Each structure stands twice: as structure tokens, then as C-alpha cells.
Amino acid sequence: MTTSIAEYLEQRRAHPVKLHLGCGGVRWKDFVNVDLYPHDPATSDSSRSGCVADVYADIRALGLPDDSVDEMFTAHTLEHFVRWEGMQLLGDWQRMLKPGGRLVIETPDFWRCVLWLFHPLPKRRRVARTQFYGNQWDRLDYETHRYVWAARELQRFLKHELRFTRVDVSHRTETHYPGRDMRVSAVKWDDVTVDWES
């Protein structure tokens, strides 16, 4: 397997360039599926069903050039980073997206998780609680949660700090738990690349 995402894209002549970041055991058709952690059958990981990555790479340091990616999708990865690291990660992804490129994020919504803590159904209370800390039962540090974003907070950061346009938030997600989680879709402005650091 190729170790560099740039080499993989070059070999495949991938066009358009669409990245599924933090794929785990979920393969997205027509996307390059990227994850850092290969499946180890000897290690218990009840949070994901293996790993189907095309490329093993750290999504914090993809090393792709400015304006080189058409679309990025990530589901339930952002909460695995502390807030400042998530901000840097999103800033780097913005840099790599082509003008008009699209970023789609599915992640738990902090305030929806809070509301679900008081839901009449025990299962909903349980799946709300775990979002604040992630997988604490398997001995995998990368499966723990470090920061849960609120919908408005993430929308504002993408729009005002990173200057994405058409930042839409929906609670009709395609993965995990619709209603508890959010789907944020943002488009990079045609005329801007933000040199963002914090």
C-alpha cells in the first residue's frame, strides 16, 4: 500500500479528488478512503468495524498542495481532537480545497447531546452520554473524544474565521444518529484561501 496520499492520487490519476477522512470501516465509493489506524484483529475496537483505508495517513498532515482537492467528507472524526487542533485541522483542509470545493462534516452536536441526556428512551440517553468522552472501554487512545462542537459554534468558525460560504447545518445525517448529530456542509469561496493559524 502506498504511504503517501499524494503518491496514491498521482498513481490513480484521481479526478475529481474526493477524500473520505477518518474512514474506519466505512468505504465511500468514488472517494479516496483515508485513515491513520489499520485494523488489528488482536486489539479490541468496538467503535468501528475494521479499517478499509485506501491510504494510511494522518488527516492532520495530509501534505497536499493548496487548491488541490474537490471534496472532503468526514464522519465522527472531528470530536477526536481537542478544539485548537480541530481548528488547525479545518484550516488546513480549507487550504487544500479548490475554490468552490466542498467540505462535509458529520459530528455530534453538543447541545443536541445535552438534550438527549434527558430523553425518555434509555438508549438515547446512553448514546448521548458516550459522545462527551467516546470509547473508554477499549484501550485505544485514538477512540476517545476530546471536544464536542456545538452547531452554531462550528458554523461560525467555518464562516467567519475560515471564510467558507454556504455553510449549512442539518440534523438529518447520513451516518450514526440523526437528531443527535449534525451534518455541516460548507463551500470554499472562489476567491479566497485563508492563511489561518491559531
Side-chain angles (χ1 to χ4, degrees):
M1 184 170 287
T2 308
T3 56
S4 160
I5 193 165
E7 290 172 354
Y8 183 88
L9 293 171
E10 175 74 25
Q11 288 172 2
R12 302 286 174 156
R13 292 189 173 89
H15 185 75
V17 176
K18 297 165 74 173
L19 305 178
H20 176 198
L21 302 172
C23 66
V26 180
R27 177 176 295 282
W28 278 64
K29 189 176 185 280
D30 301 325
F31 280 72
V32 177
N33 296 277
V34 182
D35 206 298
L36 182 57
Y37 303 102
H39 176 63
D40 178 2
T43 303
S44 175
D45 184 355
S46 56
S47 294
R48 62 184 193 158
S49 56
C51 186
V52 294
D54 300 307
V55 178
Y56 291 99
D58 189 337
I59 63 174
R60 295 168 294 188
L62 294 172
L64 295 172
D66 294 1
D67 306 329
S68 61
V69 178
D70 295 279
E71 185 174 350
M72 293 180 176
F73 173 80
T74 189
H76 286 263
T77 54
L78 191 58
E79 65 273 17
H80 293 270
F81 301 96
V82 294
R83 188 176 191 273
W84 64 264
E85 194 171 35
M87 293 166 81
Q88 286 182 339
L89 181 96
L90 292 166
D92 195 39
W93 293 354
Q94 187 272 0
R95 175 192 64 76
M96 288 181 272
L97 278 171
K98 293 178 181 177
R102 186 169 170 235
L103 172 64
V104 178
I105 302 165
E106 290 199 1
T107 190
D109 179 340
F110 177 84
W111 290 112
R112 292 290 182 109
C113 290
V114 169
L115 289 173
W116 276 35
L117 287 174
F118 302 97
H119 200 282
L121 297 175
K123 180 180 180 183
R124 290 213 176 165
R125 293 196 301 269
R126 187 173 56 255
V127 298
R129 186 170 179 245
T130 60
Q131 295 315 292
F132 294 105
Y133 51 77
N135 182 338
Q136 297 283 328
W137 40 93
D138 295 325
R139 294 176 183 241
L140 299 166
D141 186 56
Y142 63 84
E143 288 289 4
T144 60
H145 290 182
R146 289 166 173 80
Y147 189 78
V148 180
W149 291 77
R152 185 172 290 175
E153 172 192 26
L154 183 55
Q155 184 179 39
R156 284 181 177 165
F157 177 70
L158 291 170
K159 197 172 204 175
H160 299 295
E161 298 296 325
L162 297 184
R163 296 170 61 196
F164 277 94
T165 187
R166 294 199 311 260
V167 181
D168 298 315
V169 177
S170 168
H171 291 90
R172 286 185 226 116
T173 58
E174 293 182 21
T175 66
H176 292 73
Y177 289 92
R180 180 200 69 183
D181 302 334
M182 60 179 153
R183 181 179 178 90
V184 180
S185 177
V187 176
K188 181 175 174 176
W189 284 6
D190 289 344
D191 62 347
V192 68
T193 296
V194 177
D195 182 17
W196 191 88
E197 289 185 26
S198 177

